[in-house]
């Protein structure tokens, strides 16, 4: 496992420039999910109000 990780890291370091498009893609997906996913996680019936 350590050898596999070291080899993959060595290969990635040969193409360091790929980190910027990957980071931009992750930030873009975060923005899309922030817009599309509902903000409230509690159900509408459970608002901690006395009725």
């Amino acid at each position: 496992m350590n050898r596999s990780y070291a080899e993959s890291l060595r290969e990635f370091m040969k193409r360091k420039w790929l980190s910027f498009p990957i980071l931009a893609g992750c930030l873009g997906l975060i923005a899309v999910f922030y817009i599309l996913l509902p903000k409230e996680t509690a159900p509408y019936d459970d608002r901690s109000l006395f009725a």
Side-chain angles (χ1 to χ4, degrees):
M1 196 160 130
N2 287 339
R3 193 177 320 128
S4 174
Y5 173 72
E7 181 62 29
S8 64
L9 184 60
R10 196 174 302 114
E11 289 298 317
F12 181 75
M13 292 305 286
K14 291 178 184 176
R15 295 180 283 279
K16 290 183 250 188
W17 59 270
L18 278 175
S19 62
F20 293 112
I22 290 171
L23 181 62
C26 289
L27 291 174
L29 284 174
I30 289 171
V32 167
F33 288 142
Y34 181 78
I35 292 168
L36 293 180
L37 293 177
K39 306 295 186 277
E40 181 66 41
T41 56
Y44 288 110
D45 295 338
D46 185 18
R47 297 292 179 158
S48 298
L49 298 175
F50 291 107

